[in-house]
Amino acid sequence: MKFGDTLKRQITFIHAADLHIDAPFKGMATLPASLFEATQKSTYRAFDRLIETAIEKRVDFVLIVGDLFDQDNRSLHAQIYVRDGFAQLEQYGIEVFVSYGNHDYVKGNKYPITFTSNVHVFPGEDVTSFTYLKENEPLAEIYGFSYENRAVTENKVPQYERKDASIPFHIATLHGSLSGNDEHDPYAPFLLEEMKEKPFDYWALGHIHTRAHISENPPIVYPGNIQGRHRKETGEKGCYYCVMDKDDISLTFIPLQSILFVEHIVDISDVQSVGQFEVVLENLYQSAVQPQFNHVIFRSTNDYLLQLDREGIIEDFIMLWNEQYQLLPNWQHIYDYKIDFHEAKSQDQFFIAELRESINSISIQDAVLPLWKEQNVRRHVEKMDEETVIEEAEKLLHYYFSQT
């Protein structure tokens, strides 16, 4: 059977994005040394699993759609590590197509290295393409661009034009966000309908760290990042294994993370003693199947929760259980918790709601900016994001009202 016959017109590939190799994991420096080391290496371990998956699946090629590195921390070590990983793929005849995004833009790299010949990097902000050959036959055209500077603010979709129609498959890569999405930086904003009108078989996206299928026909897909980096990046993180023929495409999500970030909501309204609370924590810790960071929301309609927290009982128990479980292969660590108390006095709830509305109308960062200008403050106090500041303020208010 010749290569051009229908049954052989199939491609397999990995779609990944936002690897952020060498991400700094801000706010994690206070972890025990062993956990901090594991955290710093987690993006490398997730990358290792990406390479292993591509080899195991014997894919034709791998797509890396932006933010392969973390710009401010793109060390020479990280670049060599990635180069060596791609070199492993070369031994199996697996090609790699890379675009750089807002976190690893081209002009921000002072010491670029040369990848092996199986790696194809989109050179700049003009949309270009590479032809994937299999047995010397053109099988797929891969389109994309790289950020030259930190931001690309224009809609790049109009630049995507399909080339040689005799090539069976046409895949577009784009690191950017849906126009009007206020939750993320509006880089390379695109209109969904405009993108769907383009004659491409698959749109491989990057930039958004939550995986999502924003269109089924054609598939327009965010794989998310491959390793969570903080409490807002919860759940499994990884890549898509894609099998495409002339009639269909199947997508299989493959988890790659080496550490899982999980948010737990634990109702302890029935807890009436320290012993009962310890059982709650024990059950929580026993649920992990891999190394795991937990952000826990303790929810209660019983003000005994506030008493436990006010007297340091929750913090003491968490410290004890963290010490015990951090030594296990599938370690667990509660790195943050929040009190969610629902039975404050009605007038108190009204006051807190009014205060929250007022807080939301101002910039917390602007309000605390004078503090961060003081050297003594910066030396002893870790900077917090706005959500954390608001949470801590609400906790203090609950303490106050429970005593009045």
Side-chain angles (χ1 to χ4, degrees):
M1 181 179 292
K2 294 182 179 180
F3 176 78
D5 290 345
T6 300
L7 291 178
K8 294 196 71 174
R9 285 183 179 268
Q10 181 187 81
I11 54 173
T12 61
F13 60 93
I14 295 290
H15 171 200
D18 300 283
L19 281 63
H20 289 276
I21 305 297
D22 245 359
F25 289 91
K26 295 177 180 179
M28 295 289 192
T30 57
L31 289 172
S34 61
L35 300 193
F36 184 57
E37 181 181 3
T39 303
Q40 287 186 307
K41 292 180 178 179
S42 62
T43 54
Y44 288 93
R45 299 292 80 81
F47 175 75
D48 291 341
R49 293 178 182 182
L50 174 66
I51 299 300
E52 292 164 4
T53 298
I55 294 172
E56 176 188 343
K57 298 294 186 182
R58 292 294 197 274
V59 297
D60 293 314
F61 53 84
V62 175
L63 304 178
I64 308 291
V65 191
D67 292 354
L68 170 57
F69 300 101
D70 197 81
Q71 182 61 44
D72 294 333
N73 302 276
R74 178 161 49 176
S75 63
L76 186 61
H77 171 265
Q79 293 186 81
I80 292 174
Y81 195 93
V82 168
R83 181 199 64 190
D84 292 347
F86 290 163
Q88 293 181 51
L89 298 182
E90 185 181 38
Q91 298 174 23
Y92 293 88
I94 299 173
E95 305 287 302
V96 184
F97 299 92
V98 177
S99 61
Y100 291 127
N102 55 294
H103 278 280
D104 56 358
Y105 55 95
V106 175
K107 292 182 179 179
N109 188 6
K110 296 180 180 179
Y111 307 105
I113 64 169
T114 301
F115 290 117
T116 46
S117 61
N118 64 317
V119 181
H120 313 280
V121 179
F122 291 101
E125 291 183 9
D126 290 331
V127 174
T128 56
S129 68
F130 295 101
T131 303
Y132 170 71
L133 302 175
K134 189 169 186 177
E135 299 179 12
N136 295 319
E137 294 278 353
L139 189 58
E141 195 75 13
I142 315 297
Y143 304 76
F145 68 94
S146 286
Y147 286 51
E148 294 181 25
N149 300 291
R150 187 180 296 274
V152 171
T153 57
E154 66 175 304
N155 178 2
K156 305 293 289 186
V157 174
Q159 294 186 24
Y160 286 78
E161 297 294 340
R162 195 172 74 163
K163 293 186 176 180
D164 190 347
S166 67
I167 296 176
F169 304 106
H170 296 261
I171 298 172
T173 69
L174 187 150
H175 188 86
S177 58
L178 189 65
S179 182
N181 184 347
D182 296 331
E183 296 181 8
H184 302 276
D185 294 324
Y187 296 139
F190 58 85
L191 299 172
L192 183 57
E193 290 305 315
E194 183 181 28
M195 185 175 280
K196 292 172 70 172
E197 290 173 357
K198 292 286 182 175
F200 292 98
D201 300 298
Y202 184 84
W203 282 89
L205 304 182
H207 183 52
I208 307 302
H209 290 189
T210 302
R211 69 179 183 272
H213 294 222
I214 63 175
S215 169
E216 297 298 332
N217 186 25
I220 303 176
V221 179
Y222 283 109
N225 52 345
I226 67 170
Q227 170 61 59
R229 298 174 302 155
H230 49 73
R231 72 181 189 187
K232 293 183 180 179
E233 296 183 349
T234 59
E236 292 182 323
K237 300 291 183 178
C239 65
Y240 277 106
Y241 167 59
C242 309
V243 180
M244 180 184 294
D245 62 32
K246 70 182 185 66
D247 297 317
D248 193 23
I249 178 171
S250 67
L251 304 178
T252 303
F253 177 75
I254 299 179
L256 300 174
Q257 78 282 337
S258 65
I259 299 174
L260 199 63
F261 281 76
V262 180
E263 180 176 272
H264 300 272
I265 299 177
V266 183
D267 193 317
I268 60 172
S269 297
D270 295 333
V271 168
Q272 299 290 335
S273 69
V274 170
Q276 290 176 340
F277 179 74
E278 185 176 16
V279 171
V280 169
L281 275 185
E282 182 178 2
N283 292 336
L284 182 64
Y285 275 88
Q286 291 178 348
S287 64
V289 295
Q290 73 169 111
Q292 185 169 301
F293 281 122
N294 298 315
H295 173 241
V296 184
I297 299 174
F298 293 109
R299 179 171 291 170
S300 179
T301 57
N302 183 341
D303 62 6
Y304 186 63
L305 170 65
L306 296 179
Q307 180 182 335
L308 288 176
D309 193 36
R310 185 169 55 252
E311 295 179 0
I313 301 299
I314 295 179
E315 187 173 350
D316 287 346
F317 267 129
I318 287 176
M319 184 180 300
L320 289 171
W321 281 94
N322 277 346
E323 290 176 354
Q324 178 178 340
Y325 274 82
Q326 73 186 33
L327 302 176
L328 301 179
N330 288 335
W331 50 262
Q332 280 212 73
H333 187 85
I334 295 179
Y335 67 95
D336 192 19
Y337 72 91
K338 176 184 176 182
I339 299 300
D340 187 6
F341 179 60
H342 284 293
E343 207 166 79
K345 299 172 185 177
S346 59
Q347 65 268 29
D348 300 340
Q349 287 198 356
F350 175 77
F351 174 75
I352 292 173
E354 288 286 310
L355 184 60
R356 183 185 294 115
E357 183 176 345
S358 298
I359 290 175
N360 289 335
S361 68
I362 66 172
S363 168
I364 300 297
Q365 298 297 344
D366 289 345
V368 300
L369 184 61
L371 282 175
W372 304 125
K373 291 182 178 179
E374 296 293 331
Q375 185 176 1
N376 289 334
V377 173
R378 294 197 305 272
R379 183 182 303 157
H380 298 291
V381 179
E382 184 175 322
K383 196 171 184 179
M384 295 186 292
D385 58 35
E386 294 198 4
E387 182 180 339
T388 302
V389 172
I390 292 171
E391 287 178 2
E392 293 299 319
E394 289 185 6
K395 187 187 296 185
L396 290 172
L397 287 170
H398 284 309
Y399 287 165
Y400 172 77
F401 288 119
S402 67
Q403 297 298 298
T404 58

